[in-house]
Amino acid sequence: MNFHRDRGFAHPRPSEITPRGAYENRRDWLRRVGVAAAGTGLGAWALREVRAASVPAGAALAGSRSSVSGALTMERPTSREDATTYNNFYEFGTDKADPAQRARSLRTQPWALSVEGEVKRPRTFDLDALQRLAAIEERVYRLRCVEGWSMVIPWLGWSLSHLIKAAEPTGNAKFVQFVTLADAAQMPGLRSRVLDWPYVEALRMDEAMHPLAMLVFGMYGEVLPPQNGAPLRLAVPWKYGFKSAKSIVRIRFLAQQPTTSWEKAAPSEYGFYSNVNPHVDHPRWSQASERRIGEDGLFAKKRPTLMFNGYEAQVGTLYAGMDLKKFF
Ligand code: MTE
């Protein structure tokens, strides 16, 4: 196998990708990003207590340690197999099996993330510099898709607030927009007009600063597989999954609320906020309950959907006084 060298780190060419070579070596990556105790045979999520202790004091927002740890779920994670083969990533096709098949050769190194707009320190990060901004933590979050299914996923990353603070937003910055990769040469789904590419999402500034909003680089103790949004994506666990944009290339700070891809595609179906809410149905799907992926057997019961996907104690105050039917 021929490797080209990038800052002394070996990466295979996209054409040479093998199941293992598609990602950096698990132990190397975890060691490099500073996650302790990697490489045991245990599921990495079992080690989160160890890691939590290694997060530097003050790494999170004031008062946020308790709101993050109080939100971590002990529910059994969805199998890695399910989480990496049942995906929504329309740039690779609209079938759940498409991303795992077609995203294999997504080129994730080198990668540039541009941070721009209403900030005092606009900057372009490469992946190494970006990952060094904060200590990587493992957090097990529920993921609820607007289509009525859910998973439980152990993510690796850190609070998006670390990046926001490093960018020093100006007083005009009220929204944060996430623009994702749209490369027709690599993404066959771009031939379809199902969305107006690139896929764009956004959060209100206080939502983006909430410690639960996570910038993710890995899952299940490994770097993100392409189909899950390598090399960086969001995990915003109290919102429907489509708010968690994958393969982000640009983060833009804005004074005005931008229109997101899904709002543009179907404004009556998808709102800007898209908080998980069992009392506000989607026109085509009841949101009162959900199917947990992996519990699909004959006798599997649907689970009741929880307000804000179970994170109401942490995020409810962000929406105090708002009519959540109107601002859906
Ligand atoms: N990001 C991009 N760029 N393109 C997409 O099609 N789909 C969204 C979200 N992020 C999507 C995306 C939807 S609908 C969901 S439910 C989640 O990614 C799915 O994430 P997963 O496949 O890792 O479970």
Side-chain angles (χ1 to χ4, degrees):
M1 221 194 248
N2 292 317
F3 288 94
H4 72 96
R5 296 211 159 254
D6 176 16
R7 292 184 307 283
F9 206 78
H11 300 286
R13 287 186 220 278
S15 59
E16 296 163 346
I17 282 169
T18 62
R20 175 162 178 162
Y23 329 116
E24 299 169 18
N25 175 279
R26 167 187 172 163
R27 281 182 214 196
D28 285 352
W29 182 68
L30 290 172
R31 205 176 294 126
R32 197 162 56 86
V33 298
V35 178
T40 71
L42 284 173
W45 53 92
L47 300 167
R48 68 179 179 274
E49 250 71 70
V50 180
R51 304 239 180 82
S54 72
V55 175
L61 292 174
S64 67
R65 284 295 293 282
S66 56
S67 51
V68 170
S69 54
L72 297 177
T73 178
M74 295 303 285
E75 287 172 73
R76 195 156 63 104
T78 301
S79 74
R80 186 184 185 283
E81 173 69 16
D82 280 342
T84 57
T85 55
Y86 187 90
N87 298 105
N88 278 333
F89 200 167
Y90 278 15
E91 289 85 335
F92 294 99
T94 53
D95 198 275
K96 294 286 181 288
D98 286 340
Q101 295 297 321
R102 300 181 180 169
R104 277 189 199 144
S105 58
L106 176 69
R107 200 165 359 95
T108 57
Q109 284 275 13
W111 193 268
L113 174 72
S114 164
V115 178
E116 57 191 52
E118 291 288 350
V119 286
K120 295 190 190 117
R121 292 171 58 85
R123 190 175 154 188
T124 300
F125 289 90
D126 66 24
L127 215 46
D128 284 349
L130 183 66
Q131 288 178 348
R132 276 198 299 271
L133 277 187
I136 301 263
E137 299 167 41
E138 182 161 72
R139 300 187 193 164
V140 183
Y141 282 168
R142 285 178 292 276
L143 168 81
R144 170 63 155 81
C145 179
V146 73
E147 296 162 347
W149 52 263
S150 64
M151 297 191 193
V152 175
I153 300 185
W155 301 111
L156 289 167
W158 33 252
S159 293
L160 174 65
S161 62
H162 293 298
L163 175 60
I164 296 177
K165 284 190 280 185
E168 296 183 40
T170 70
N172 294 333
K174 301 283 185 277
F175 294 89
V176 189
Q177 185 187 44
F178 306 89
V179 182
T180 73
L181 184 71
D183 180 357
Q186 299 192 76
M187 298 172 140
L190 264 55
R191 286 198 289 268
S192 146
R193 306 298 304 272
V194 60
L195 288 174
D196 187 11
W197 313 108
Y199 190 105
V200 284
E201 259 308 333
L203 296 170
R204 211 172 59 189
M205 193 63 164
D206 58 343
E207 298 178 316
M209 282 297 286
H210 193 282
L212 283 184
M214 193 175 180
L215 202 59
V216 166
F217 306 102
M219 62 194 288
Y220 297 87
E222 301 183 359
V223 289
L224 277 175
Q227 63 268 35
N228 292 88
L232 71 130
R233 67 171 291 168
L234 286 179
V236 190
W238 71 95
K239 292 178 178 282
Y240 292 115
F242 65 85
K243 296 294 291 183
S244 293
K246 294 173 161 183
S247 303
I248 299 167
V249 291
R250 184 164 298 156
I251 296 184
R252 219 184 255 146
F253 290 77
L254 303 172
Q256 306 294 333
Q257 181 176 315
T259 306
T260 67
S261 292
W262 284 107
E263 278 184 288
K264 203 167 175 184
S268 60
E269 297 190 15
Y270 305 104
F272 177 83
Y273 285 94
S274 300
N275 293 311
V276 175
N277 188 338
H279 313 299
V280 178
D281 286 339
H282 180 277
R284 284 179 282 141
W285 303 290
S286 160
Q287 299 296 17
S289 63
E290 65 202 53
R291 183 170 63 91
R292 177 64 54 84
I293 300 298
E295 296 179 348
D296 309 322
L298 199 53
F299 302 107
K301 282 205 183 82
K302 283 188 135 192
R303 293 171 176 251
T305 288
L306 303 174
M307 190 65 201
F308 295 111
N309 201 21
Y311 301 96
E312 185 169 15
Q314 289 78 29
V315 303
T317 53
L318 293 175
Y319 309 101
M322 269 176 75
D323 178 347
L324 297 176
K325 283 205 160 74
K326 190 166 162 214
F327 296 98
F328 65 95

